Amino acid sequence: MLKSIVYAIIGCVMPAPFATGQCGCCRTPATTPAPAGVLTETEAKNLLLMREEEKLARDVYNAMHELYNQRVFGNIPRAEQSHMDAVLGLLNAYGLEDPAKVTAGTFSNTELQQLYDDLVARGTKSKQDAFLVGALVEEVDIEDLVDAMKRTDKKDLLAIYGNLLGGSERHLNAFVRNYEAVSGKPYQAQKLTQQAVDGILGR
């Protein structure tokens, strides 16, 4: 129990398995299951979105780490890169073109580009705001992952999405702990319902 609390506060410390291609915190598999059939238009759209959403999380947290040098922002981007790699494995398996651009902070999806710009601008206001930004990113990821899982029955997609969902829930906990430690205020849900967030936080 104490170890879980410490991990939540300091922000997702990466143990040794990460060096072998796994995200030790989020337990995202290094290999991608064999593809099962042909993707529907909705499945393909969600997979492309997930690839760039994980990039958005990584890029936002890297930007916040440059500003505040907080451990939570230094550690979690490595998990997000692992998530990006897992989704890329699925894109390759299904023959989809990778939408993720190499340059940090740039996106093919115009809505994600606007979201990134808005989040970074908000996060520059204060360390407290930066932690709120991190929590919001994870809430958005959780909502989109749950929606994507409802819209597919393919085991390979569900396996990856399930791992990403678990990671986002742990990351949300980490950002909330940091926010509450700095602000002295209880965290208020920004995208999901308060009931859903409290459930993830174990409250």
Side-chain angles (χ1 to χ4, degrees), residues 160-176:
I160 296 298
Y161 289 161
N163 281 311
L164 267 57
L165 180 60
S168 286
E169 290 177 345
R170 285 183 282 275
H171 297 165
L172 176 59
N173 269 275
F175 286 124
V176 167

Side-chain angles (χ1 to χ4, degrees), residues 2-13 15 25 170 174 178:
L2 178 59
K3 184 182 289 185
S4 297
I5 293 173
V6 171
Y7 278 6
I9 292 174
I10 65 176
C12 200
V13 176
C25 165
R170 285 183 282 275
N178 278 272

Side-chain angles (χ1 to χ4, degrees), residues 132 176 179-181 183-189 194 198 201 203:
L132 284 175
V176 167
Y179 166 74
E180 292 182 341
S183 69
K185 302 175 184 177
Y187 178 74
Q188 299 296 315
Q194 190 65 48
D198 286 345
L201 300 176
R203 297 177 176 176

Side-chain angles (χ1 to χ4, degrees), residues 5-34:
I5 293 173
V6 171
Y7 278 6
I9 292 174
I10 65 176
C12 200
V13 176
M14 298 298 150
F18 185 84
T20 64
Q22 293 179 325
C23 167
C25 165
C26 305
R27 300 177 180 85
T28 301
T31 59
T32 302

Side-chain angles (χ1 to χ4, degrees), residues 96-162:
L96 295 177
E97 184 177 351
D98 182 14
K101 297 184 178 183
V102 175
T103 304
T106 61
F107 302 87
S108 300
N109 185 309
T110 55
E111 292 183 5
L112 290 182
Q113 183 65 66
Q114 185 62 57
L115 180 59
Y116 172 85
D117 294 341
D118 292 345
L119 290 171
V120 170
R122 178 183 175 187
T124 59
K125 295 179 181 178
S126 70
K127 187 187 301 181
Q128 180 174 312
D129 283 299
F131 292 141
L132 284 175
V133 162
L136 176 57
V137 169
E138 299 302 336
E139 285 194 47
V140 170
D141 280 353
I142 289 168
E143 183 177 65
D144 288 342
L145 283 165
V146 169
D147 182 68
M149 293 176 77
K150 290 178 180 177
R151 298 174 184 273
T152 185
D153 59 0
K154 289 184 173 58
K155 292 182 180 180
D156 51 352
L157 270 65
L158 289 171
I160 296 298
Y161 289 161

Side-chain angles (χ1 to χ4, degrees), residues 59-72:
D59 292 354
V60 168
Y61 303 158
N62 279 333
M64 294 302 98
H65 187 247
E66 288 183 8
L67 285 172
Y68 303 111
N69 195 30
Q70 293 293 296
R71 192 171 184 181
V72 68

